[in-house]
């Protein structure tokens, strides 16, 4: 990736790759728990990424994929041999609910299954100097993806008894004689490996977004007993009187905050910061706006543009 930190903690649309992946499984009703194998130095990064996920737990991985998955399997408590385990690459944040559902359906009549796609490109071996060598027939060749689905007991036995240092768990399970069903997935289920994969993944995710418009409105009277300035959009404007309000009465930021909550379908500023709560007495309205922005980002949103119109006879605004 040529990146300064692990690819699962790189960001796409203000969320880490791992955060996008965790979201997929957290929202599945029949997913009871998520165990993430993390690097020994990644505890803080994982904590920051996973703090909003109630199903996510972590264990330390190993030097190889096999060691990491094995450590994760041993870290799961209260599990039976027939319980279903899905093994998934955190760097595949574009898998869909439908693909996971089809994988689980396949497991109803087989012991193991994996998402995969048929090979469509011409394949050739290379010789020294990257000279094209023998062609490889692509008939019946598949590119293996994740998630991969197993019964816990089968997968644990495969890890404990197979000396094969496989590159994925379907290979390990096959090595102990358990057939693995290939469930056709999609090439959109990309594994982020190279820098350009981030842009491809972002394009896939953007196709699933929608544009929303929120409209806010707020009005504050002047406080006859309070001298200025007037706080407007975080700026103190000189005036004879201040505006009346529970917080700092910043009518501009209140309106913008309301518009963001409206676009999210998340009520209005009074729902999140009720005037009956003395915690918000005289509070800087920039905090209200920051909280609205945080909620928008947590849902994968991005603020494209905003326009605030201030209507007043005085002070003069230009």
């Amino acid at each position: 990736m040529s990146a300064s930190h692990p690819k699962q903690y790189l960001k796409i649309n203000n969320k880490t790759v791992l955060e996008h992946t965790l979201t997929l499984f957290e929202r599945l009703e029949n997913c009871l728990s998520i165990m993430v194998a993390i690097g020994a130095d990644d505890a803080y990064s994982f904590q920051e990424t996973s703090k909003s996920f109630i199903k996510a737990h972590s264990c330390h991985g190993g030097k190889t994929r096999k060691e990491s998955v094995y450590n994760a399997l041993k870290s799961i408590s209260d599990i039976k041999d027939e319980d279903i385990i899905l093994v998934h690459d955190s760097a595949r944040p574009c898998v869909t609910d439908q693909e996971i559902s089809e994988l689980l359906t396949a497991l109803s009549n087989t012991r193991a299954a994996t998402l995969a796609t048929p090979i469509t490109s011409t394949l050739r071996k290379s010789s020294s100097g990257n000279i094209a060598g023998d062609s490889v027939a692509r008939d019946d060749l598949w590119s293996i993806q994740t998630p991969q689905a197993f019964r816990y007991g089968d997968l644990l036995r495969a890890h404990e008894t197979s000396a094969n240092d496989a590159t994925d768990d379907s290979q390990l399970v096959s090595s102990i004689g358990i057939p693995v069903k290939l469930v056709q997935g999609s090439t959109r289920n990309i594994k982020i490996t190279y820098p350009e994969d981030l842009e491809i993944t972002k394009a896939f995710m953007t196709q699933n977004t929608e544009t929303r418009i929120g409209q806010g409105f707020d009005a504050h009277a002047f406080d006859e007993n309070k001298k200025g300035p007037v706080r407007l959009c975080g700026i103190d404007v000189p005036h004879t009187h201040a505006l009346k309000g529970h917080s700092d009465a910043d009518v501009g930021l209140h309106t913008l905050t309301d518009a963001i909550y409206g676009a999210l379908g998340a009520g209005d500023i009074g729902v999140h910061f009720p005037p009956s709560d003395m915690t918000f007495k005289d509070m800087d309205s920039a905090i209200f706006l920051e909280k609205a922005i945080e909620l928008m980002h947590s849902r994968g949103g991005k603020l494209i543009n905003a326009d605030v119109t201030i209507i007043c006879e005085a002070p003069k605004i230009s």
Side-chain angles (χ1 to χ4, degrees), residues 73-251:
L73 291 173
K74 294 187 296 181
S75 299
I76 303 172
S77 58
D78 300 323
I79 190 167
K80 303 178 181 64
D81 282 351
E82 287 300 301
D83 287 343
I84 294 172
I85 288 285
L86 299 184
V87 181
H88 187 61
D89 299 320
S90 64
R92 291 186 187 270
C94 292
V95 68
T96 65
D97 295 356
Q98 181 64 32
E99 288 169 331
I100 297 172
S101 177
E102 291 173 359
L103 184 68
L104 292 173
T105 298
L107 207 65
S108 63
N109 53 26
T110 189
R111 299 293 299 181
T114 180
L115 290 178
T117 55
I119 296 294
T120 58
S121 300
T122 296
L123 300 175
R124 295 186 68 179
K125 294 181 179 179
S126 64
S127 59
S128 60
N130 283 341
I131 302 301
D134 295 340
S135 296
V136 178
R138 66 190 180 195
D139 299 340
D140 301 323
L141 285 181
W142 292 68
S143 177
I144 303 301
Q145 301 178 330
T146 67
Q148 300 179 351
F150 313 94
R151 301 292 174 176
Y152 177 77
D154 293 341
L155 185 56
L156 186 64
R157 180 163 60 92
H159 274 270
E160 290 177 338
T161 61
S162 176
N164 180 6
D165 192 14
T167 56
D168 81 342
D169 296 273
S170 69
Q171 288 177 282
L172 280 176
V173 170
S174 292
S175 72
I176 63 170
I178 297 176
V180 178
K181 175 74 173 178
L182 298 177
V183 178
Q184 184 161 345
S186 166
T187 54
R188 292 171 63 95
N189 184 16
I190 183 174
K191 182 180 180 181
I192 297 173
T193 307
Y194 302 105
E196 59 264 31
D197 294 337
L198 278 175
E199 295 304 314
I200 295 171
T201 302
K202 184 176 181 179
F204 285 155
M205 290 181 172
T206 302
Q207 291 175 5
N208 296 323
T209 62
E210 61 183 27
T211 300
R212 292 187 175 187
I213 297 174
Q215 180 173 314
F217 180 84
D218 198 21
H220 282 261
F222 282 112
D223 189 334
E224 295 181 359
N225 300 314
K226 188 176 181 180
K227 293 183 178 181
V230 176
R231 175 67 66 89
L232 295 173
C233 295
I235 297 172
D236 287 325
V237 180
H239 192 56
T240 55
H241 291 79
L243 294 177
K244 184 185 299 183
H246 183 66
S247 61
D248 63 359
D250 191 329
V251 63

Side-chain angles (χ1 to χ4, degrees), residues 18-34:
L18 178 57
E19 200 171 350
H20 285 291
T21 304
L22 287 174
T23 299
L24 294 168
F25 292 92
E26 177 89 8
R27 70 189 182 199
L28 295 179
E29 185 177 351
N30 55 356
C31 174
L32 300 182
S33 180
I34 305 168

Side-chain angles (χ1 to χ4, degrees), residues 212-220 250-275 285-293 295-296 303 306-308:
R212 292 187 175 187
I213 297 174
Q215 180 173 314
F217 180 84
D218 198 21
H220 282 261
D250 191 329
V251 63
L253 292 190
H254 290 182
T255 303
L256 183 54
T257 303
D258 250 354
I260 293 171
Y261 282 133
L264 296 175
D268 62 14
I269 192 171
V271 171
H272 296 269
F273 309 101
S285 294
I287 296 174
F288 303 159
L289 180 60
E290 287 170 0
K291 294 298 182 182
I293 292 287
L295 180 62
M296 178 181 65
L303 185 63
D307 188 32
V308 178

Side-chain angles (χ1 to χ4, degrees), residues 28-78:
L28 295 179
E29 185 177 351
N30 55 356
C31 174
L32 300 182
S33 180
I34 305 168
M35 182 62 68
V36 185
I38 66 172
D41 299 326
D42 295 341
Y44 177 77
S45 296
F46 174 76
Q47 182 181 4
E48 287 299 296
T49 288
S50 64
K51 57 188 176 183
S52 62
F53 299 95
I54 62 174
K55 298 179 182 180
H57 311 277
S58 70
C59 68
H60 282 166
K63 294 180 180 179
T64 65
R65 178 196 178 92
K66 184 176 183 292
E67 288 181 12
S68 295
V69 175
Y70 184 50
N71 287 352
L73 291 173
K74 294 187 296 181
S75 299
I76 303 172
S77 58
D78 300 323

